Amino acid sequence: MFTAQQYVKAASLEEAYALNQKRNNAILGGGCWMKMNRRRYHTLIDLSNLGLDTIEETPEEIILGAMVTLRQMEQSPELAAAFGNGFRESVRHIVGVQFRNCATLGGSLVSRFGFSDILTWLLSLDCKVELVGAGVLPLAEYVKMPYDRDVLVRVHIAKNGRRAAYESFRNTATDLPVLTCAASVLSGELRVVIGARPARAVCLSFAFPDSDEELDAICKEVQGSIPYGSNLRGSAAYRRHLAGVLCRRAVSSLKEGTTC
């Protein structure tokens, strides 16, 4: 369990950003993963007074505040209407309802966990992250950046007609995933995202397949061009095999029109 000398409820994003520049300070978020380390912090910074726990919708996009919980996303009618069951599927296996009521979107994304279901799912959509210091940039670019002291404010998801599907495999229902896969299509372009390799999620692009032979070729490319590793949950060879299986399931869902 971590310890801290001070706890501050930030009165503004500017205050949170300034406090977070100090090396021994940290944004609290939901605290669900943070509580598992033994680090000693000087100051914990709470963003809960800044109105970042809302899901907003405009004609062009859906905006998720950094303090939105995984459970809010799981139950959101706005997200379900815009993106089908993808948000629900990408979070419903994460530990349990009590955990998802606390864990936040911001905490999940800032950490860039290799095992993150929600990161795999969001990379399949057209997302931008809003940061206090760096401003607005694509999620795919943010994921590749080194860790820094910036503060994540919101995630903007374009409502552009992209259809997406999500698949994951776990050894047990609430365990961390052995492998995750999301696939999406827009204007004939297929995007396939593979996560929990066990490293951070990566994205590949293809022309959307018209035949089983083309889908076979895509699955083989996903298996062959992405590096996979081994840990206690599965070997690299097992993950490579799963990548082909989950990719085929996700793309088949898109072909059959069973997603949003």
Side-chain angles (χ1 to χ4, degrees):
M1 176 66 75
F2 66 85
T3 60
Q5 294 180 26
Q6 296 184 47
Y7 165 83
V8 175
K9 267 195 173 182
S12 67
L13 288 170
E14 292 72 23
E15 180 186 11
Y17 180 84
L19 288 169
N20 200 44
Q21 300 316 297
K22 297 181 180 179
R23 183 172 154 185
N24 289 330
N25 296 353
I27 303 290
L28 181 58
C32 293
W33 299 112
M34 183 184 289
K35 71 181 182 180
M36 300 175 73
N37 70 52
R38 298 189 178 186
R39 183 173 169 183
R40 297 185 66 179
Y41 297 98
H42 182 272
T43 302
L44 292 179
I45 308 154
D46 189 345
L47 306 180
S48 61
N49 274 358
L50 303 182
L52 301 180
D53 59 347
T54 61
I55 298 174
E56 303 173 43
E57 184 172 13
T58 73
E60 295 79 27
E61 62 182 5
I62 292 182
I63 306 167
L64 306 177
M67 294 296 287
V68 166
T69 67
L70 304 188
R71 184 64 170 168
Q72 281 178 268
M73 294 189 291
E74 183 180 7
Q75 296 184 308
S76 167
E78 296 88 355
L79 292 175
F83 305 109
N85 64 1
F87 274 90
R88 182 178 65 85
E89 288 299 312
S90 68
V91 302
R92 71 184 180 93
H93 294 293
I94 300 174
V95 186
V97 171
Q98 289 178 322
F99 184 94
R100 298 196 297 275
N101 274 327
C102 297
T104 62
L105 172 63
S108 299
L109 292 188
V110 169
S111 302
R112 284 99 145 180
F113 292 126
F115 56 79
S116 175
D117 291 88
I118 193 64
L119 179 58
T120 301
W121 168 246
L122 288 177
L123 281 171
S124 73
L125 305 176
D126 297 296
C127 298
K128 293 182 179 180
V129 295
E130 179 184 340
L131 305 165
V132 174
V136 178
L137 64 157
L139 175 61
E141 180 180 332
Y142 176 69
V143 167
K144 296 176 183 178
M145 291 170 56
Y147 294 108
D148 58 23
R149 310 299 298 180
D150 212 335
V151 178
L152 178 66
V153 183
R154 298 176 185 88
V155 175
H156 299 253
I157 312 173
K159 292 165 51 182
N160 55 6
R162 180 178 291 277
R163 296 188 300 113
Y166 187 80
E167 296 285 343
S168 68
F169 180 81
R170 287 164 160 78
N171 290 327
T172 57
T174 58
D175 192 10
L176 297 179
V178 178
L179 197 79
T180 60
C181 175
S184 67
V185 60
L186 179 66
S187 301
E189 180 194 24
L190 174 67
R191 182 182 299 171
V192 177
V193 184
I194 300 293
R197 305 174 293 113
R200 198 175 295 172
V202 295
C203 180
L204 298 176
S205 295
F206 307 92
F208 194 75
D210 291 322
S211 65
D212 290 341
E213 291 74 17
E214 291 176 349
L215 178 54
D216 288 341
I218 288 171
C219 293
K220 289 179 181 178
E221 179 72 13
V222 167
Q223 290 175 309
S225 64
I226 295 176
Y228 299 91
S230 301
N231 63 7
L232 292 175
R233 289 180 175 81
S235 67
Y238 185 45
R239 285 189 164 92
R240 189 173 295 109
H241 171 74
L242 283 176
V245 174
L246 298 187
C247 177
R248 183 177 300 279
R249 289 179 184 174
V251 177
S252 294
S253 293
L254 296 175
K255 289 173 67 70
E256 295 164 5
T258 55
T259 63
C260 61

